[in-house]
Amino acid sequence: MFPRWSRPIWITAWEQRKLGELFVESDERSSTEEILSVSVANGIYPASESERDTNPGASIANYKIVRVGDIVYNSMRMWQGAVGSSRYNGIVSPAYVVAKPVVELDSTCFGYLLKRPELLYKYLCNSQGNSKDTQTLRYERFAEITAEVPSTIEEQRAISDCLEGLDNLIALHQRKCRYRGLCGYLSWEQRKLGDVGKKVTTKNADGALNETFTNSAERGIVSQLDYFDHDITNEANANGYYVVHPNDFVYNPRISTIAPCGPINRNRLNRTGVMSPLYTVFSIDDGVCKTYLEHYFKTSRWHDFMFLEGNTGARSDRFSISDSMFFEMPIWCPSLAEQEAIAQQLELTDNLITLHQRQRQEGDDVLCLGRK
């Protein structure tokens, strides 16, 4: 399935590039070709395949030309991930931005890379508008955004092979799931977060617990002592902190470079500690696989709902959403057995990625020593 994945390409470090160094805006116009659409869920596809009314109105004379390999994004929904690499020739609404590669690169790979959470946050910060519904990312701002990208086209193609293979596998399982549903078997159901979990309200009192945890997108839930190399809290000011038991989840409203609307992580420390009241702590019922839910909270589907219901507020490093709305967020749940199978596969994929990253870092260290 992944014919190039095993090639020894991980020795090459990724590089920081401005997107304007890789793409140039195209403004060619036409009205005689097939109309294309761009969505967060489906990328770029013929508008005729959409279930919605695709009537563009009185005139399409001002529509932009798209060619295979172009990157196209919805300027008002870029911060939600409405971007993709086109597999079609056609035309798109003037509300979209068409960006053509100006260097040799694998466009399919960049269709995936441009949807990474850390870039979605950069799009949001660089979009202009008075509300979520009017946030617009102009090409000039897009071009100034820096991104970490694979430096060789071989690695880009290997990434495309892997991610396309996973997409095909997911699509296959989704078709099987729909087939089972039609035949009377169990199908995925949408549930509210509040249906499968509840907020933890127990607070630390009288210094009963003095190990303070923190929650970051990069490292998950860790002890303050491990994270900062010194304990920045004490018994007195830890009173009133929420108690976090093993396998409890913690939502951190602080946005990081890789968590567009605040990270949610599970306490895997196998011990109990306390967490600042700035966080939302919640437990999950035994009928839901907690590892499955960990991965679900990192999906664009979850982020999309958070963005729709939340508020970025006055501070760029905070994403505000009320607890009442937070527990109304929808969760798609297959059977417990299927949740566990999905979680196992995703854990294996994460471990494989971590292994390759470690090998790449070791290769970079060797190269640096060689230069010295």
Side-chain angles (χ1 to χ4, degrees):
M1 183 181 296
F2 313 130
R4 290 189 287 267
W5 187 248
S6 60
R7 292 183 180 179
I9 58 177
W10 306 102
I11 197 72
T12 305
W14 287 28
E15 57 186 3
Q16 291 282 342
R17 299 288 297 273
K18 284 188 176 182
L19 296 178
E21 297 172 358
L22 307 174
F23 302 97
V24 63
E25 185 177 18
S26 175
D27 201 38
E28 295 181 85
R29 308 284 173 145
S30 176
S31 60
T32 60
E33 301 189 46
E34 183 174 26
I35 299 174
L36 305 177
S37 292
V38 184
S39 74
V40 175
N42 301 316
I44 303 171
Y45 59 97
S48 59
E49 296 180 3
S50 173
E51 295 179 356
R52 298 180 179 179
D53 181 8
T54 59
N55 183 358
S59 175
I60 59 173
N62 205 34
Y63 272 39
K64 297 179 179 179
I65 295 175
V66 176
R67 293 291 175 251
V68 173
D70 288 350
I71 295 294
V72 184
Y73 71 83
N74 184 334
S75 60
M76 295 185 65
R77 288 288 177 262
M78 183 59 155
W79 57 276
Q80 292 179 310
V83 59
S85 169
S86 183
R87 295 184 290 117
Y88 307 94
N89 292 322
I91 54 176
V92 293
S93 163
Y96 297 150
V97 172
V98 180
K100 289 184 175 295
V102 292
V103 298
E104 185 184 26
L105 55 79
D106 185 86
S107 180
T108 302
C109 174
F110 277 84
Y112 288 107
L113 294 181
L114 291 174
K115 294 170 76 76
R116 287 178 295 175
E118 64 268 27
L119 286 178
L120 298 186
Y121 178 54
K122 289 185 179 182
Y123 304 150
L124 180 61
C125 292
N126 282 277
S127 295
Q128 297 172 302
N130 297 323
S131 68
K132 291 180 298 182
D133 294 330
T134 61
Q135 292 286 336
T136 301
L137 181 66
R138 307 296 182 189
Y139 172 78
E140 292 75 16
R141 292 289 190 97
F142 170 82
E144 290 298 313
I145 293 173
T146 58
E148 191 177 20
V149 302
S151 56
T152 66
I153 194 168
E154 290 80 12
E155 184 170 1
Q156 295 170 22
R157 288 170 178 163
I159 291 171
S160 296
D161 283 349
C162 177
L163 296 180
E164 284 194 308
L166 288 174
D167 275 352
N168 293 336
L169 184 62
I170 291 169
L172 174 63
H173 283 297
Q174 287 175 333
R175 285 196 297 271
K176 288 180 178 178
C177 181
R178 284 193 293 269
Y179 177 76
R180 292 193 195 104
L182 290 172
C183 295
Y185 292 97
L186 291 176
S187 60
W188 290 41
E189 62 175 335
Q190 180 176 299
R191 306 175 70 181
K192 295 178 182 178
L193 178 58
D195 293 337
V196 300
K198 62 181 179 180
K199 183 178 179 180
V200 172
T201 57
T202 304
K203 291 189 175 182
N204 193 30
D206 301 324
L209 296 166
N210 56 19
E211 183 176 16
T212 306
F213 296 159
T214 190
N215 178 23
S216 72
E218 295 82 0
R219 302 180 63 175
I221 297 176
V222 295
S223 168
Q224 290 272 30
L225 183 60
D226 296 333
Y227 193 72
F228 292 101
D229 296 327
H230 64 282
D231 193 355
I232 65 170
T233 64
N234 56 51
E235 183 176 297
N237 64 27
N239 287 340
Y241 278 31
Y242 290 121
V243 176
V244 183
H245 293 285
N247 292 318
D248 280 350
F249 283 78
V250 179
Y251 166 56
N252 179 358
R254 183 179 295 276
I255 298 171
S256 77
T257 56
I258 62 173
C261 50
I264 302 175
N265 288 299
R266 175 165 61 107
N267 177 16
R268 294 192 176 204
L269 296 178
N270 200 30
R271 60 184 187 272
T272 301
V274 295
M275 188 75 74
S276 164
L278 294 175
Y279 300 106
T280 297
V281 182
F282 58 100
S283 60
I284 295 297
D285 298 343
D286 291 337
V288 177
C289 174
K290 296 172 179 61
T291 306
Y292 165 80
L293 208 54
E294 278 184 284
H295 289 282
Y296 187 87
F297 289 137
K298 294 178 174 64
T299 63
S300 59
R301 181 185 291 272
W302 171 263
H303 292 156
D304 290 344
F305 282 116
M306 290 284 281
F307 273 128
L308 288 173
E309 302 296 343
N311 181 12
T312 53
R315 290 182 53 177
S316 61
D317 65 341
R318 291 283 180 180
F319 180 89
S320 173
I321 187 168
S322 65
D323 280 346
S324 58
M325 182 59 67
F326 181 76
F327 286 100
E328 289 291 311
M329 293 292 103
I331 302 289
W332 282 98
C333 294
S335 67
L336 181 58
E338 191 167 355
Q339 291 176 38
E340 291 171 344
I342 292 170
Q344 182 181 29
Q345 184 60 52
L346 291 175
E347 288 284 282
L348 290 172
T349 303
D350 275 356
N351 292 337
L352 180 62
I353 291 171
T354 300
L355 173 63
H356 283 307
Q357 288 175 332
R358 188 179 300 119
Q359 290 174 344
R360 188 183 72 188
Q361 183 60 53
E362 291 171 354
D364 292 343
D365 292 343
V366 170
L367 289 175
C368 290
L369 289 173
R371 293 191 188 103
K372 292 179 180 179

